[in-house]
């Protein structure tokens, strides 16, 4: 079974530039999460999708961040314009809501460096 | 919302010793408490979890205990090995259905040979 796939793995941009991250969850997983992980910290939720619906985006900085999950499968997270403080690893995770398990399957993350 | 505190932030042990990592949570409605292990540069992976109707759960060398009254839970690793070296995160759900996990800040465990 293929795991959660994210791209790009690394991205270096200058501040005020836009950036986008892509995530392909495990096939059949209804729930998709975007987390941000700052250096030396735990993952912090940005947004959670149930199928194509964003059901928890309270921590998403909506002035510069946007996300979409068209057709309830792949998802894209965009930052425009990027700021220095956005440097972090952006983790995508998915879960099979139909199974009685809370396990999240994470991708390898997209490491963003804003100069 | 839920708030999860994790201690210590770093833990150094000798191979073969035991390691204990502790977490507290704030929302009494939380009922699912997983632990994730993240090796350097790798993705977080679930190693063990516990639900609020259970006080303790073991899986080989790792165990988790839960005290709902005190709102704290702990990870215990016995007979530590160098490959146990990693960052460990505890987490809790603020409500039922595993909806959204709130993570602690992590504990870096270093096991010296």
């Amino acid at each position: 079974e293929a795991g959660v796939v994210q791209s790009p793995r690394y991205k270096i941009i200058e501040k005020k530039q836009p950036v986008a991250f892509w995530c392909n969850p495990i096939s059949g997983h209804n729930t998709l999460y975007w987390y941000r992980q700052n250096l030396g910290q735990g993952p912090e939720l940005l947004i959670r999708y149930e199928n194509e619906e964003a059901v928890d985006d309270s921590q998403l900085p909506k002035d510069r961040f946007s996300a979409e999950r068209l057709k309830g499968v792949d998802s894209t997270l965009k930052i425009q314009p990027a700021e220095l403080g956005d440097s972090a690893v952006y983790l995508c995770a998915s879960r099979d809501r139909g199974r009685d398990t809370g396990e999240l399957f994470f991708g390898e993350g997209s490491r963003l460096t804003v100069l | 919302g839920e708030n999860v505190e994790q201690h210590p932030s770093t833990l150094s042990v000798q191979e073969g010793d035991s390691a204990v990592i502790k977490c507290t949570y704030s929302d009494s409605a939380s009922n699912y408490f997983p632990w994730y292990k993240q090796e350097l540069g790798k993705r977080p992976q679930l190693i063990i979890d516990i639900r609020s109707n259970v006080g303790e759960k073991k899986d080989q060398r790792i165990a988790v205990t839960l005290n709902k009254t005190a709102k704290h839970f702990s990870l215990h690793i016995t007979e530590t090995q160098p490959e146990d070296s990693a960052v460990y995160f505890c987490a809790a759900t603020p409500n039922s259905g595993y909806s959204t996990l709130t993570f602690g800040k992590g504990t870096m465990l270093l096991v010296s040979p």
Side-chain angles (χ1 to χ4, degrees):
Chain A
E1 177 181 79
V4 176
V5 179
Q6 290 188 244
S7 68
R9 289 292 315 280
Y10 305 93
K11 188 73 175 179
I12 301 174
I13 61 173
E14 294 189 344
K15 62 181 180 182
K16 301 185 181 180
Q17 294 299 306
V19 63
F21 306 112
W22 174 80
C23 173
N24 181 231
I26 293 174
S27 178
H29 282 198
N30 338 72
T31 309
L32 183 146
Y33 308 78
W34 282 102
Y35 279 89
R36 177 168 59 189
Q37 187 174 27
N38 292 309
L39 187 64
Q41 302 292 315
E44 297 176 326
L45 180 73
L46 291 173
I47 190 167
R48 173 171 67 96
Y49 283 94
E50 296 293 345
N51 299 308
E52 67 275 7
E53 182 182 2
V55 297
D56 185 352
D57 62 356
S58 57
Q59 301 302 312
L60 188 72
K62 298 181 183 64
D63 57 337
R64 298 183 300 106
F65 285 66
S66 64
E68 61 182 12
R69 192 185 184 196
L70 301 176
K71 301 182 181 178
V73 182
D74 295 2
S75 179
T76 302
L77 177 70
K78 297 179 181 179
I79 308 174
Q80 182 172 10
E83 297 179 352
L84 295 176
D86 296 331
S87 295
V89 176
Y90 291 84
L91 291 165
C92 179
S94 69
R95 181 173 73 84
D96 182 355
R97 195 180 65 218
R99 294 184 60 199
D100 186 27
T101 170
E103 182 173 6
L104 267 59
F105 293 85
F106 284 90
E108 292 190 311
S110 294
R111 182 179 295 277
L112 173 66
T113 301
V114 182
L115 303 176
Chain B
E2 177 63 276
N3 182 51
V4 177
E5 300 284 341
Q6 184 171 348
H7 300 279
S9 56
T10 59
L11 179 59
S12 295
V13 300
Q14 292 292 118
E15 183 176 2
D17 288 350
S18 295
V20 180
I21 302 170
K22 299 181 179 181
C23 288
T24 60
Y25 61 98
S26 60
D27 192 333
S28 58
S30 287
N31 57 7
Y32 175 65
F33 309 91
W35 287 86
Y36 282 78
K37 175 183 180 182
Q38 187 174 30
E39 297 177 6
L40 188 62
K42 301 280 184 70
R43 69 189 79 193
Q45 292 187 299
L46 179 72
I47 56 170
I48 195 168
D49 56 14
I50 192 168
R51 293 170 176 75
S52 60
N53 58 344
V54 176
E56 183 176 3
K57 183 177 179 181
K58 289 183 179 180
D59 183 3
Q60 299 182 347
R61 295 187 297 107
I62 61 174
V64 57
T65 58
L66 171 64
N67 184 328
K68 285 222 74 180
T69 302
K71 290 191 284 188
H72 68 71
F73 56 112
S74 301
L75 177 71
H76 304 253
I77 306 175
T78 59
E79 301 174 21
T80 54
Q81 301 167 3
E83 52 264 39
D84 293 330
S85 296
V87 179
Y88 292 81
F89 294 99
C90 62
T93 54
N95 49 43
S96 62
Y98 315 115
S99 55
T100 298
L101 286 176
T102 299
F103 286 86
K105 292 187 175 182
T107 296
M108 178 177 289
L109 174 64
L110 300 172
V111 181
S112 303

